[in-house]
Amino acid sequence: MHYLGIDWATEKHDLCLTDEDGRIISQFQITHDMQGFEALHDILKLLSDVRINIERGDGLLVDWLVQQGYDLYITPPHVLAYRRPTRVKDDKGDAFLLAYLLRLNDPDCRPYNAQSEIVMHLKQLARTYDRLLIEQRRLANQMIMSLRQYYPVALNLFTKPNLLIAMAFIEAFPTPAQAEALTYEGLEQFLRSQRYIPIDKQLDVIWERLQVPMPHATVEAGYVEHVLMLIPLLRTLHHQKQALIKKINKVFRSHPEADWWLSFPGTKGPLTAAFMLAWVGDARSRFLTANSLQAYAGTVPVTRRSGKSRSVQFRKACSHPTRRAADNFARQSRRYSGWARAYYNEQLAKGKSRARANRDLANRWMNIIWTLWQRRELYDEATHVANRARKGQKAAAGPVTEAVQQAS
């Protein structure tokens, strides 16, 4: 058996090949292109058996290694940092350490579990969606700051200043003076031209807010230019976001387990089930126990023991996108599941914060998801409520779900 450690970099990769006894056979570099990959292949095809350990689970090199059918393992960079004998970072040393840890069958050298192409596509779209939200928030914050400098009333006319209707109003009336000159009839005509649906309820409210005396900046032209420059960008991002949501749902629906994810309460909302599938994936061998899935999602706390002391702490090392997806799923489930709502309220009654109570609920859901995932069974609310009743646990708080009503 041979062991190959690969220290990943942007343009080149350092590699260290060792034998069964840990002796270094070769240390070399390859470039991050097809020529470098083929050079690596020429070396590996001479070996009868080789296991490869690399510090990241994505990228062209990883894809190529998987396509060639190599036995691949992943050891995250933060694990490698703790295992270095010194604080000095050296690429050749890291490559040797990766091979060394794999030879020792270190538990942090985890087998690469290939996901389906649909899940990989969905994960890429989910990352794109997150980046779009970050960019949208960044530009919206810039617009808000400029409006505060010269046009604060525009921030309070609608729910959010970066809504399409709010941006259309600012474009039509970009200064406080133009807003003050607007008549009631003119405001109504503008809202109707924009097909503003809650016009009957909000027209008088918006009008009253516009009647509050506005302070005027001495110079406002620069702020106006900045805001009018940001609005087309925000509008484009809004439309791109809506198109991306449709694309994500289309890809999600093409997965054979889409209906399984949709059987859980609260997953029929936009992107909830899609993001759960994207970040949890469809490789069942990836999580050997429910606790491993809970730890990956960051829903289970970390228990630290030293002598007689024992402390339970928030888990920081986890998949943060999966944690966000699990938290959102738990939050949505409280609207449609009686037992989930009851469990959440029980945690609040114990003095826990809302965030902690929701995270505890997400932890319960991760256990349920893993169990049904392994069994390939659809979630059934009535069955779960009956199981909780047998254990003496509260089934529901407030109105019960449709599934429970049908069961009774």
Side-chain angles (χ1 to χ4, degrees):
M1 178 69 71
H2 296 85
Y3 303 92
L4 180 68
I6 303 179
D7 179 80
W8 190 94
T10 304
E11 297 180 355
K12 57 87 180 175
H13 311 288
D14 282 88
L15 296 88
C16 180
L17 181 66
T18 68
D19 61 13
E20 183 70 38
D21 297 323
R23 290 188 295 267
I24 297 177
I25 298 175
S26 176
Q27 287 183 302
F28 56 98
Q29 286 185 350
I30 61 170
T31 54
H32 188 69
D33 52 28
M34 201 60 211
Q35 182 179 358
F37 295 175
E38 289 177 349
L40 174 60
H41 185 59
D42 291 339
I43 295 173
L44 295 182
K45 68 182 181 182
L46 300 176
L47 305 175
S48 58
D49 200 358
V50 61
R51 297 166 69 187
I52 302 173
N53 195 15
I54 192 170
E55 57 183 343
R56 61 179 296 166
D58 59 354
L60 287 175
L61 178 57
V62 172
D63 282 347
W64 182 83
L65 290 170
V66 172
Q67 291 169 14
Q68 306 309 310
Y70 290 115
D71 193 7
L72 190 62
Y73 291 78
I74 310 297
T75 302
H78 71 272
V79 172
L80 209 61
Y82 282 114
R83 302 301 179 87
R84 291 190 192 107
T86 65
R87 292 181 178 270
V88 178
K89 168 82 168 68
D90 178 73
D91 293 342
K92 290 184 178 180
D94 283 355
F96 170 76
L97 183 56
L98 285 164
Y100 174 79
L101 293 174
L102 185 59
R103 186 178 69 87
L104 296 181
N105 291 318
D106 191 283
D108 283 319
C109 299
R110 300 176 183 178
Y112 177 83
N113 293 287
Q115 306 283 357
S116 68
E117 292 186 6
I118 296 177
V119 167
M120 294 172 66
H121 187 187
L122 202 58
K123 185 179 291 187
Q124 293 169 5
L125 291 175
R127 288 191 178 123
T128 301
Y129 182 85
D130 288 341
R131 291 165 185 156
L132 188 150
L133 288 184
I134 292 172
E135 187 65 15
Q136 190 179 42
R137 192 176 302 117
R138 184 181 69 86
L139 295 178
N141 287 338
Q142 288 187 34
M143 186 177 70
I144 290 171
M145 289 304 297
S146 289
L147 289 172
R148 283 177 179 168
Q149 297 298 319
Y150 84 103
Y151 200 179
V153 70
L155 298 172
N156 301 318
L157 297 179
F158 302 93
T159 308
K160 296 180 181 179
N162 61 327
L163 295 177
L164 292 180
I165 181 63
M167 293 189 293
F169 181 89
I170 295 170
E171 276 187 323
F173 313 100
T175 66
Q178 290 172 302
E180 288 175 342
L182 185 62
T183 64
Y184 184 89
E185 292 74 16
L187 175 62
E188 182 178 11
Q189 182 179 0
F190 167 79
L191 294 177
R192 292 193 184 281
S193 69
Q194 297 295 320
R195 298 181 180 179
Y196 185 57
I197 296 176
I199 183 172
D200 294 332
K201 295 181 179 179
Q202 295 298 318
L203 176 59
D204 290 337
V205 175
I206 296 172
W207 174 251
E208 289 177 3
R209 290 172 181 171
L210 285 172
Q211 300 316 299
V212 177
M214 307 181 201
H216 290 252
T218 304
V219 179
E220 61 185 24
Y223 295 130
V224 173
E225 289 297 325
H226 186 214
V227 169
L228 294 181
M229 177 192 70
L230 292 172
I231 287 176
L233 300 176
L234 284 165
R235 185 179 288 117
T236 299
L237 286 176
H238 172 85
H239 293 307
Q240 291 294 332
K241 176 182 172 182
Q242 299 306 313
L244 186 57
I245 290 174
K246 292 181 181 179
K247 180 66 175 179
I248 290 173
N249 282 321
K250 181 179 179 181
V251 174
F252 167 71
R253 288 285 186 174
S254 69
H255 195 278
E257 293 184 348
D259 289 337
W260 183 84
W261 281 104
L262 290 172
S263 70
F264 292 93
T267 56
K268 291 181 174 61
L271 304 182
T272 305
F275 279 7
M276 288 294 291
L277 173 60
W279 298 119
V280 173
D282 55 6
R284 283 170 170 76
S285 59
R286 188 181 180 193
F287 304 107
L288 299 180
T289 63
N291 187 257
S292 64
L293 175 58
Q294 292 167 322
Y296 178 78
T299 59
V300 64
V302 177
T303 302
R304 301 188 185 278
R305 296 182 177 88
S306 178
K308 295 182 178 180
S309 66
R310 177 181 178 274
S311 64
V312 179
Q313 301 176 6
F314 176 75
R315 181 178 293 271
K316 296 181 179 179
C318 68
S319 168
H320 294 278
T322 309
R323 177 169 17 223
R324 289 194 298 270
D327 283 348
N328 179 61
F329 166 55
R331 197 160 41 247
Q332 295 294 330
S333 72
R334 302 201 309 261
R335 300 172 56 193
Y336 301 94
S337 171
W339 80 261
R341 188 164 53 252
Y343 182 83
Y344 173 78
N345 290 332
E346 287 172 4
Q347 305 313 303
L348 292 179
K350 294 177 181 179
K352 296 181 180 180
S353 66
R354 294 190 177 189
R356 173 68 185 277
N358 191 73
R359 190 162 59 250
D360 286 349
L361 175 59
N363 194 50
R364 295 297 298 270
W365 274 121
M366 289 299 101
N367 182 61
I368 296 169
I369 286 172
W370 184 87
T371 302
L372 296 180
W373 194 31
Q374 299 300 320
R375 297 175 182 173
R376 290 177 167 79
E377 295 179 3
L378 292 173
Y379 175 80
D380 181 71
E381 178 85 354
T383 300
H384 187 72
V385 168
N387 291 337
R388 286 178 61 84
R390 281 196 295 270
K391 297 177 182 179
Q393 297 169 324
K394 189 181 294 185
V400 295
T401 61
E402 182 180 352
V404 179
Q405 292 173 343
Q406 292 175 350
S408 61

